Amino acid sequence: MAGTQAIDGDWTIDSLTTVPNSELRRVASPTGCAVIARTPDDASYFFGFHDISPWSADGRYLLMHRFDGELAGLPDGSDEAEIVIWDRSSGEFRVVGRTTTWNLQQGARAMWLPGPGRQVAYNRLVDGGAGCEIVDIDSGARRTFGTTIGAVSPDGRYALTPSYGRLARYWKAYGYQALPPPPGLDAPGPAEDGIWRLDLATGEHRLIVPISELPRGDARDGAGEPYRFVTHLSFNPAGTRIVFYDRSITRDGALYSRFLSATPEGTGLRVIADEKVSHFCWLDEKTLLVWMRRSLLPITRIRSAGLLSNPLVKPLLAFVRSLKGRFKSSMLRESFYELDVDGAAAPHPFEPALFSQDGHPMLSPDGRYIVIDAYPDGRGRIPLAIYDRLARRRVDIADFQHGVVVTDSDLKCDFHPRWNRDGTQICGDVCTMGRRSVVILDVRPALAP
């Protein structure tokens, strides 16, 4: 390390040495990207996932969740979170609403709706069941609907959602424990649950992709079809295609993923990747940046035969899973890949010399830069970098301490970097001694002039 700038005693920005390469460069931000704002210590604050921006269209307000103190476990359905907006011009916080349907990874899916005005949508109980609310923060007008939201179309006309009640049973970190059991909860692949579509003008909602109609693949792991759930719905920038995960937990304890694309009406289903598929962002209308595995080993077939549960195989599996960084990536061919949403082209590795770990990417508004964090290293530090697509250069801009004080991995605090609307600032979630905060960095020093 060439130099370190301390910030509030808890966070540092590290200046890294240049990695020589004729085409690829990894450098330090020349003047440092300062943390310019942080939420107060009166409560825990966080936004959630990295697929949407918490900034209002005019850049004045920052949307987030707030809850009292620290959590020793996942929200149990009685824990309440406030949906608040941070007025960056005055520094004041304003409560938009309250909810018991939230989690620490994606919150209540609080988001700004596209279109004129300033409207916030978030999930909450409505009449004791799944629902959401839309609030006009200028007029105070409120509308409620009888289903949750997961992703909103770019034109703001409708929303798609997975079943957060089903996730509460089968992937607790992403579900809502406050919800009553949804239909088909005890079926591995129900016809009564899956992806729902909500018309934001009329409130009409209907099931468009039942789980029972999704391709089965090879994830049976020798013990029959596992219980499946849908998550991580996302629209492409034009709103003409969606992607989502069809996931299950296998008998050997692995998270098995099928990454599918479809039309927003739920037709034209296509599996574009499977087995190990993780975080992603859109690069354009047809291309995704995805962390995934393309192992030379026939892991899917081995799992389908039940061999990964074999006592003789388990130690080898544990060893492979314990590997870190480039060695694991090269061994299993795990990397970020550029993936065609239509499956028309083979996945193409994305800068494996610069990015050897899974992280949470987000494309800048102008499409030139990608911000990516990573999981904590051996020192418990979370790195943050910006990749310049034009110059093919990685700039390491920050390094944060992962200050979660419990060992439950479901309570982790990922940074989940998110761009503001003009691509000059990034905010993320950090944790210090169990208390969560939102920090904002000025990243203009790391951008090309």
Side-chain angles (χ1 to χ4, degrees), residues 5-8 11-14 29 31-39 54-55 62 64 86 88 371-373 381-386 395-401 414-430 437-447:
Q5 174 187 353
I7 299 177
D8 291 349
W11 306 303
T12 62
I13 292 178
D14 293 329
S29 175
T31 59
C33 297
V35 173
I36 59 173
R38 174 192 175 190
T39 53
W55 272 275
L62 204 66
M64 62 190 68
W86 186 8
R88 295 295 298 124
V371 61
I372 306 179
D373 64 354
R381 309 296 294 183
I382 298 173
L384 184 65
I386 289 177
V395 181
D396 292 86
I397 63 170
D399 180 51
F400 298 92
Q401 183 67 40
D414 296 328
F415 191 82
H416 288 153
R418 302 164 294 260
W419 291 95
N420 71 344
R421 302 292 179 167
D422 64 7
T424 60
Q425 297 177 2
I426 287 168
C427 78
D429 302 331
V430 298
S437 305
V438 175
V439 296
I440 302 175
L441 290 86
D442 180 353
V443 297
R444 285 174 294 181
L447 309 181

Side-chain angles (χ1 to χ4, degrees), residues 99-247:
T99 182
T100 55
T101 60
W102 62 286
N103 56 59
L104 288 169
Q105 292 303 305
Q106 296 188 332
R109 288 303 281 165
M111 65 184 77
W112 298 95
L113 292 186
R118 291 185 288 208
Q119 296 187 88
V120 169
Y122 67 98
N123 291 326
R124 50 159 287 194
L125 289 178
V126 173
D127 297 328
C132 65
E133 182 169 63
I134 295 176
V135 182
D136 186 310
I137 68 167
D138 295 315
S139 70
R142 296 174 181 265
R143 295 182 291 152
T144 58
F145 302 98
T147 187
T148 55
I149 57 169
V152 173
S153 61
D155 61 9
R157 295 173 56 190
Y158 59 93
L160 299 178
T161 186
S163 171
Y164 290 102
R166 188 170 181 85
L167 286 168
R169 165 78 69 85
Y170 298 113
W171 202 20
K172 295 182 184 298
Y174 284 81
Y176 300 153
Q177 300 299 323
L179 296 181
L185 181 62
D186 295 321
E192 308 95 328
D193 205 357
I195 297 176
W196 299 80
R197 177 172 166 138
L198 168 66
D199 187 311
L200 292 173
T202 67
E204 176 192 5
H205 57 277
R206 57 189 173 88
L207 182 65
I208 62 169
V209 182
I211 295 177
S212 60
E213 294 184 6
L214 296 174
R216 285 179 176 259
D218 289 321
R220 297 186 180 225
D221 74 10
E225 185 71 8
Y227 290 87
R228 300 164 67 181
F229 47 88
V230 171
T231 185
H232 289 67
L233 290 156
S234 179
F235 286 88
N236 72 353
T240 57
R241 200 76 182 168
I242 63 169
V243 292
F244 61 93
Y245 290 134
D246 165 24
R247 285 180 154 168

Side-chain angles (χ1 to χ4, degrees), residues 260-287:
L260 290 94
S261 71
T263 69
E265 291 75 32
T267 60
L269 285 167
R270 180 191 299 272
V271 178
I272 56 176
D274 68 350
E275 208 269 313
K276 171 67 179 288
V277 192
S278 187
H279 306 102
F280 66 89
C281 71
W282 292 95
L283 297 180
D284 56 43
E285 311 299 344
K286 295 185 61 177
T287 312

Side-chain angles (χ1 to χ4, degrees), residues 167 170-174 219 221 226-232 245-259 274-279 291 293 299-300 303 308 317 321 334 358 375 410 412:
L167 286 168
Y170 298 113
W171 202 20
K172 295 182 184 298
Y174 284 81
D221 74 10
Y227 290 87
R228 300 164 67 181
F229 47 88
V230 171
T231 185
H232 289 67
Y245 290 134
D246 165 24
R247 285 180 154 168
S248 57
I249 306 297
T250 63
R251 190 169 61 176
D252 61 288
L255 179 65
Y256 184 93
S257 303
R258 299 178 190 87
F259 197 30
D274 68 350
E275 208 269 313
K276 171 67 179 288
V277 192
S278 187
H279 306 102
W291 182 270
R293 176 187 296 156
I299 293 179
T300 301
R303 175 170 285 122
L308 291 184
L317 179 65
R321 286 177 174 169
E334 286 189 22
D358 189 7
Y375 290 117
D410 284 340
K412 64 183 179 178

